[in-house]
Amino acid sequence: MEIRLLLLSLLYSTAISTSKITHRFPSSIVTQPENKLSFSTKTELYDEKFFTQILDHFNFHPQSYQTFQQRYLINDKYWGGPNTNAPIFVYTGNEGEIEWFAQNTGFLFETAPLFKSLLIFIEHRFYGKSIPFGGDKEKAYSNSSTLGYLSSTQALADYATLIIDLKHNLSATDSPVVVFGGSYGGMLAAWFRLKYPHVAIGALASSAPILNFENITSPYSFNNIITQDFRSESENCYKVIKGSWQEIEETAAKPGGMEILKKAFRICKNDSGNSLEGWLGTAYSYTAMTDYPTTSNFLNPLPAYPVKEMCKAIDDPKTGNNTFEKLYGAANIYYNYTGNATCFNLDDDSDPHGLGGWTWQACTEMIMQTDGSNAESIFPESEESYEDRVEFCNYRFKIEPRPYWITTEFGGHNIHRVLKRFGSNIIFFNGLRDPWSGGGVLKDISKSIIAIVAKEGAHHVDLRFSTDEDPKWLREVRRREVHIISKWLSQYYHSLADSSNE
């Protein structure tokens, strides 16, 4: 399979078999030139501002004092203001342009009137417009010396520095801060609460796979959940997909086979059979992640319950025993639900939301294990290969990953016992149809570190804009989250009043 910029498990292509299916990070995208996503700039939701941020928070050599312009989005429409110590809700930005996440995080906008909260969405360094080295992305991404300033710890320090400065400038030093995030942003929100409890009183970490490191979570978990998602809809659907990989490889290997595949899948140009496998694997993985109960346009335009729709296409009796026609119908749900595409470029590596910096992060500290497939998997049976990642990262950046750093810096082992001793005020939401939920916190750790688990939930579905079609369980999840956050704020205000009376 060809290496793309946005692979989660970055595997050097020459060392990988054609049957290997490799997964990408939760919020990376594959789109086709013939069917680009529309990128709406909903400027009524926020104003764009910039903060002069320090390059390196953890060293004091001269280069550390360089600065860059870090973008953040602000909405003060409902804010009660500093005089009432009204709260500040901060979204800890992910690995991409911050507008994309702001426009898909309706929970904050919809609860702002209730809490009279100020909303801040902070862009992660090295993404979007928040590029160090004079905003020159080519220079910032040029080598390991410049990319070395891209890390989760630097990003968290950015957020803390910006929040403290903003509160000071707004004369809102006593306004409580709650941080929010989904996916990698959810991981950052949880870690922020643990590392900067004096800055944020609580965190909502949605679909945050903070346990996907150092064999805490099985490397088979990700693919097992995808397998179960499809198998729960249709046993035939599962069997067709599971048996298709060998048929694709056998077809690609025979004379004229690539022409057969090209015609069957409406491929724009000649691509290898393993490019097709990667293209299909991406569709299955992302559809499982975004198996939302209502229509969505987060990764690609999708119908409600897209896994069900994929299986309907595969089970369609009109396609008879034609496996490729069945797979094409399923892939069309993910790649061409709008019906605008006439053919597909399997090797398209466009990056419409600026996610390319994740390659560096996945080669340094974000060593998340997701590529194991057992005998029951919908994907070809395979083992997680750390050696392939090491080979690729050395080839790409001349560096070696640090697989133990995240658990050293933030913890993870025995998390239920450890966090009970010192952590507080974190909500971990996970939907069990989300492949990343296997690396999430699925049980309460204490009375204030709470796991909310939704059997039918997908990737950070709780943070999406609500609709009239939302099922009862999703409405209940959001109601519960609001109740818990309200409790945190009430406790904060009581403690603030007590301290002022001393």
Side-chain angles (χ1 to χ4, degrees), residues 49-104:
K49 294 185 180 295
F50 290 86
F51 175 75
T52 301
Q53 187 63 264
I54 192 170
L55 178 63
D56 185 359
H57 298 281
F58 306 110
N59 287 287
F60 296 92
H61 52 69
Q63 188 166 351
S64 296
Y65 289 88
Q66 292 185 35
T67 60
F68 68 96
Q69 295 303 299
Q70 182 169 27
R71 177 166 56 160
Y72 65 97
L73 311 176
I74 185 168
N75 180 315
D76 62 359
K77 181 177 180 181
Y78 300 104
W79 192 36
N83 292 335
T84 61
N85 297 322
I88 300 173
F89 287 178
V90 176
Y91 186 92
T92 50
N94 300 51
E95 71 296 2
E97 295 179 344
I98 193 61
E99 302 105 321
W100 182 36
F101 300 104
Q103 293 175 21
N104 285 279

Side-chain angles (χ1 to χ4, degrees), residues 157-333:
D158 286 342
Y159 300 157
T161 303
L162 192 156
I163 291 168
I164 291 170
D165 187 84
L166 182 66
K167 290 180 69 177
H168 176 76
N169 290 336
L170 294 174
S171 300
T173 55
D174 285 335
S175 287
V177 172
V178 179
V179 291
F180 300 77
S183 195
Y184 172 51
M187 298 162 76
L188 292 173
W191 292 336
F192 190 89
R193 169 59 185 163
L194 297 176
K195 288 292 181 180
Y196 297 95
H198 57 291
V199 180
I201 69 163
L204 170 52
S206 180
S207 299
I210 63 170
L211 303 181
N212 242 131
F213 297 91
E214 206 186 328
N215 296 317
I216 300 172
T217 299
S218 167
Y220 300 107
S221 172
F222 191 94
N223 286 338
N224 284 348
I225 294 173
I226 296 172
T227 299
Q228 181 57 34
D229 286 350
F230 281 87
R231 199 169 192 173
S232 67
E233 294 296 343
S234 162
E235 184 71 14
N236 177 68
C237 177
Y238 157 74
K239 288 181 177 178
V240 168
I241 296 174
K242 180 176 176 57
S244 68
W245 309 110
Q246 183 175 351
E247 187 173 346
I248 291 171
E249 289 185 8
E250 290 175 350
T251 302
K254 68 183 183 182
M258 283 309 304
E259 193 61 32
I260 293 173
L261 293 175
K262 179 181 178 181
K263 183 177 180 180
F265 290 95
R266 286 67 162 176
I267 300 171
C268 301
K269 61 179 183 179
N270 288 329
D271 289 293
S272 64
N274 53 332
S275 291
L276 175 59
E277 289 178 328
W279 184 76
L280 289 170
T282 294
Y284 305 143
S285 300
Y286 284 171
T287 300
M289 279 179 0
T290 54
D291 193 33
Y292 298 135
T294 57
T295 58
S296 66
N297 190 19
F298 178 51
L299 299 182
N300 276 353
L302 288 174
Y305 300 108
V307 170
K308 184 186 294 291
E309 295 303 315
M310 270 194 172
C311 283
K312 282 183 180 178
I314 287 175
D315 292 342
D316 188 346
K318 296 177 183 177
T319 55
N321 295 321
N322 190 327
T323 298
F324 296 160
E325 194 64 22
K326 292 176 181 294
L327 298 184
Y328 170 75
N332 224 34
I333 298 296

Side-chain angles (χ1 to χ4, degrees), residues 257-421:
M258 283 309 304
E259 193 61 32
I260 293 173
L261 293 175
K262 179 181 178 181
K263 183 177 180 180
F265 290 95
R266 286 67 162 176
I267 300 171
C268 301
K269 61 179 183 179
N270 288 329
D271 289 293
S272 64
N274 53 332
S275 291
L276 175 59
E277 289 178 328
W279 184 76
L280 289 170
T282 294
Y284 305 143
S285 300
Y286 284 171
T287 300
M289 279 179 0
T290 54
D291 193 33
Y292 298 135
T294 57
T295 58
S296 66
N297 190 19
F298 178 51
L299 299 182
N300 276 353
L302 288 174
Y305 300 108
V307 170
K308 184 186 294 291
E309 295 303 315
M310 270 194 172
C311 283
K312 282 183 180 178
I314 287 175
D315 292 342
D316 188 346
K318 296 177 183 177
T319 55
N321 295 321
N322 190 327
T323 298
F324 296 160
E325 194 64 22
K326 292 176 181 294
L327 298 184
Y328 170 75
N332 224 34
I333 298 296
Y334 180 76
Y335 288 113
N336 190 29
Y337 183 60
T338 61
N340 295 329
T342 56
C343 65
F344 300 105
N345 174 11
L346 305 192
D347 289 331
D348 175 41
D349 61 356
S350 58
D351 186 12
H353 296 297
L355 311 175
W358 187 255
T359 306
W360 168 265
Q361 291 192 260
C363 266
T364 50
E365 57 178 359
M366 303 302 291
I367 314 303
M368 304 173 76
Q369 300 168 319
T370 62
D371 281 329
S373 293
N374 59 26
E376 291 296 307
S377 175
I378 201 171
F379 299 110
E381 192 169 357
S382 63
E383 298 293 330
E384 180 84 23
S385 176
Y386 175 69
E387 291 73 20
D388 285 339
R389 186 192 296 249
V390 171
E391 185 179 357
F392 171 78
C393 296
N394 182 60
Y395 167 80
R396 177 68 177 83
F397 299 111
K398 294 181 170 55
I399 60 169
E400 187 168 331
R402 297 181 183 175
Y404 308 115
W405 175 242
I406 287 295
T407 54
T408 300
E409 175 70 4
F410 302 114
H413 293 286
N414 303 310
I415 191 169
H416 289 82
R417 186 178 74 238
V418 173
L419 288 195
K420 188 178 294 184
R421 295 201 304 263

Side-chain angles (χ1 to χ4, degrees), residues 40-47 74-77 103 109:
S40 170
T41 53
K42 298 183 179 179
T43 52
E44 70 273 12
L45 288 178
Y46 45 73
D47 293 319
I74 185 168
N75 180 315
D76 62 359
K77 181 177 180 181
Q103 293 175 21
F109 293 101

